[in-house]
Amino acid sequence: IDSTPAWLTFLNPTLFPRGKSSLGHIGDNIAVYLTLLTAASRPHPQYPLIIRGLLMRQYLGTKIMMTGLQDAPGQVSTGEPCGGPMCMKHLCTPPLIPHTVYAAIAQILVKCVDWTPALCRLMSPGVKHSGLWDSLDRTQVWNIQRPPWHHALVQLVTPSVAGVVSEVIRAVPPQPPAKPAHPSQLSVRLEHHLAAWTLQLLTGMEGVADTVPLSVIYVAHTINTYLPPTIKPTGGHMS
């Protein structure tokens, strides 16, 4: 990561101190900015350069981007690829919003950094000062307007729990409960069914816990210590 591309030295000689030609002699902000700017200017994704820009200088680029995106508003939705001359369908959908960018950064950290606490160390400062806790409450499970950091955690565990969720959905009766004699009985029945499905979901997730990235469990355990008493996650805790 500390090596310097020859073309950078050739095109920008005034960036370096006299007699020096290494990124190691440039300030952290400038070095990270030049690397990410170069990656953004390429006509096609240069994954090694993107990863380098996010991980170099003690993850400075990652810290800045996560801090700027952590509480950005928005709702994740599935869009159509733009269809441009360089459009790549698997990269162009869903639309590029703070949530998908934050989730992509988190994925890179999990896959490229062989240190379990890394994701937690980078996410937790911003999450700790976030005011957007409501999406973690068990009464807000239906709410898809979650902050980017919450969306990133969901994306990381989705491959592990997708099968469990499918089984629970298949167990849901295709027809609504029969109309009761009194409206209050309907509420009781719905709560009973919801409790049973939630228990089934939690039991299934317990069985696939070993497939969830350890770094995500580390983050969830840390976030659990930040939650205000008014927030009650499904299952009683984040992890």
Side-chain angles (χ1 to χ4, degrees):
I1 286 182
D2 289 332
S3 62
T4 304
W7 58 263
L8 184 60
T9 307
F10 176 76
L11 293 175
N12 301 277
T14 58
L15 286 173
F16 304 92
R18 186 180 299 276
K20 306 292 183 180
S21 60
S22 170
L23 279 176
H25 295 97
I26 298 181
D28 292 343
N29 289 340
I30 297 176
V32 172
Y33 171 76
L34 287 175
T35 304
L36 291 177
L37 178 62
T38 303
S41 302
R42 297 292 182 92
H44 294 285
Q46 298 290 320
Y47 298 111
L49 195 58
I50 294 172
I51 294 172
R52 172 178 175 161
L54 291 173
L55 303 187
M56 65 189 297
R57 305 298 175 95
Q58 301 296 313
Y59 315 107
L60 177 61
T62 296
K63 292 176 184 176
I64 293 174
M65 294 180 72
M66 281 187 160
T67 301
L69 297 172
Q70 65 186 18
D71 287 339
Q75 178 175 317
V76 179
S77 59
T78 301
E80 295 295 327
C82 68
M86 296 182 182
C87 175
M88 305 176 89
K89 293 184 178 180
H90 69 290
L91 296 174
C92 197
T93 183
L96 196 63
I97 62 174
H99 296 66
T100 52
V101 175
Y102 195 108
I105 295 173
Q107 292 274 5
I108 289 175
L109 286 172
V110 171
K111 294 182 180 297
C112 299
V113 180
D114 187 20
W115 185 48
T116 301
L119 181 64
C120 183
R121 294 288 181 89
L122 293 169
M123 285 184 66
S124 58
V127 175
K128 184 177 183 180
H129 294 94
S130 174
L132 304 179
W133 301 107
D134 290 349
S135 62
L136 296 176
D137 194 83
R138 60 191 176 197
T139 63
Q140 297 292 318
V141 174
W142 55 269
N143 194 345
I144 61 174
Q145 292 189 344
R146 57 177 71 99
W149 55 265
H150 187 181
H151 174 71
L153 294 176
V154 171
Q155 293 297 100
L156 288 170
V157 302
T158 294
S160 300
V161 304
V164 177
V165 174
S166 298
E167 288 296 324
V168 174
I169 292 176
R170 277 196 288 268
V172 176
Q175 299 296 329
K179 187 176 181 180
H182 192 274
S184 62
Q185 296 178 0
L186 177 61
S187 176
V188 174
R189 289 184 183 181
L190 290 175
E191 289 184 5
H192 172 75
H193 287 302
L194 182 59
W197 296 328
T198 301
L199 179 60
Q200 182 181 352
L201 179 61
L202 293 174
T203 303
M205 291 180 65
E206 184 179 1
V208 299
D210 290 344
T211 65
V212 176
L214 189 58
S215 55
V216 176
I217 297 177
Y218 200 101
V219 173
H221 178 73
T222 302
I223 292 178
N224 198 59
T225 64
Y226 300 155
L227 291 181
T230 54
I231 302 298
K232 306 294 184 183
T234 300
H237 52 79
M238 276 287 292
S239 53

